[in-house]
């Protein structure tokens, strides 16, 4: 019998935290009209607001792991990859993958519609995983939080990186399917159907909110 268990079905504010991953202007209010339409068709911002409203109603702390990359690229690494982030040609010596948004810019600010309030925690990060060389794990542990409810994007990049790390750190995990997104083909559905169910509960916004308690 395991000595540690994450078997409580309910999401009580005493041991659960909401994680809004990279909830930034650059992602939620993109300049690209196609991306604007993509997010609108999936009600992503509205779903994030509904999820956040449910968490706040029960007094749940919300965490905002947010890309905070240096404008001069000094905290990034250029490497060879087969494609760019959208699976198009790229990743070459001439065109390595680099962060799009930089600390101090409007694009790197948390979207006003779901901005933090007093008691919430912003976690600056420089890598895909919210846990890598940040104080996120500490911020969760000192509050007695052993379970996270995660939403945001991209599903197949930072959300996935964070969920893999959370699983290895023994957190209980709920991933909110209709409040996560990826515009890269079928990647979102692949992770929700084939990858995350082995590490987490995959719920809708309504299902997650219905389980939130004080």
């Amino acid at each position: 019998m395991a000595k540690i268990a994450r078997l409580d079905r309910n999401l009580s504010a005493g041991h659960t935290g909401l994680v809004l991953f990279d909830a930034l202007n650059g992602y939620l209010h993109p300049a690209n009209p196609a991306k604007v339409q993509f997010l609108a068709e999936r009600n992503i911002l509205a779903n994030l607001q509904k999820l956040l409203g449910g968490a706040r109603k029960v007094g749940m702390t919300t965490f905002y792991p947010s890309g905070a990359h240096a404008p001069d690229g000094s905290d990034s690494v250029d490497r060879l990859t087969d494609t760019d982030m959208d699976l198009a040609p790229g990743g070459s010596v001439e065109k390595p993958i680099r962060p799009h948004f930089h600390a101090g810019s409007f694009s790197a600010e948390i979207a006003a519609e779901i901005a933090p309030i007093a008691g919430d925690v912003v976690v600056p990060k420089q890598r895909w995983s919210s846990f890598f060389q940040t104080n996120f794990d500490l911020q969760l542990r000192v509050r007695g939080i052993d379970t996270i409810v995660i939403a945001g994007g991209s599903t197949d990049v930072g959300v996935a990186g964070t969920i893999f790390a959370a699983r290895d750190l023994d957190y209980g995990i709920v991933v909110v399917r209709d409040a996560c997104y990826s515009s890269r083909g079928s990647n979102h559905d692949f992770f929700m159907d084939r990858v995350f169910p082995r590490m987490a509960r995959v719920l809708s916004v309504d299902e997650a909110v219905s389980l939130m308690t004080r």
Side-chain angles (χ1 to χ4, degrees), residues 18 20 43-56 112-114 179 205 209:
L18 175 61
L20 299 186
N43 295 314
I44 295 300
L45 188 53
N47 286 344
L48 288 171
Q49 289 177 298
K50 186 173 185 179
L51 187 64
L52 179 59
R56 287 185 173 159
E113 297 92 335
I114 49 175
V205 170
V209 170

Side-chain angles (χ1 to χ4, degrees), residues 113-194:
E113 297 92 335
I114 49 175
I117 60 173
D120 291 338
V121 182
V122 177
V123 181
K125 65 181 183 65
Q126 284 77 38
R127 294 296 181 268
W128 288 358
S129 170
S130 303
F131 290 96
F132 184 74
Q133 295 192 0
T134 71
N135 69 358
F136 185 36
D137 179 54
L138 180 147
Q139 294 286 0
L140 293 169
R141 287 189 292 105
V142 296
R143 291 167 174 78
I145 292 173
D146 60 36
T147 298
I148 61 172
V149 178
I150 186 167
S154 293
T155 304
D156 50 336
V157 184
V159 171
T162 297
I163 290 174
F164 276 107
R167 188 266 179 196
D168 288 344
L169 288 166
D170 297 324
Y171 285 96
I173 306 163
V174 169
V175 55
V176 186
R177 183 173 191 140
D178 52 350
C180 294
Y181 60 92
S182 171
S183 59
R184 300 177 189 95
S186 61
N187 286 7
H188 173 81
D189 288 335
F190 176 80
F191 273 84
M192 293 294 175
D193 293 338
R194 303 298 300 274

Side-chain angles (χ1 to χ4, degrees), residues 49-104:
Q49 289 177 298
K50 186 173 185 179
L51 187 64
L52 179 59
R56 287 185 173 159
K57 184 176 181 180
V58 300
M60 187 179 293
T61 302
T62 301
F63 299 83
Y64 294 81
S66 303
H69 302 283
D72 64 0
S74 58
D75 56 7
S76 301
V77 175
D78 288 347
R79 75 193 83 219
L80 294 175
T81 58
D82 287 340
T83 71
D84 67 10
M85 286 299 293
D86 294 317
L87 303 179
S92 63
V93 172
E94 298 77 20
K95 194 178 179 182
I97 294 174
R98 291 174 177 162
H100 293 300
F101 311 127
H102 302 103

Side-chain angles (χ1 to χ4, degrees), residues 20-33:
L20 299 186
F21 184 89
D22 265 350
L24 309 179
N25 284 321
Y27 295 118
L28 295 175
H29 296 294
N32 185 328

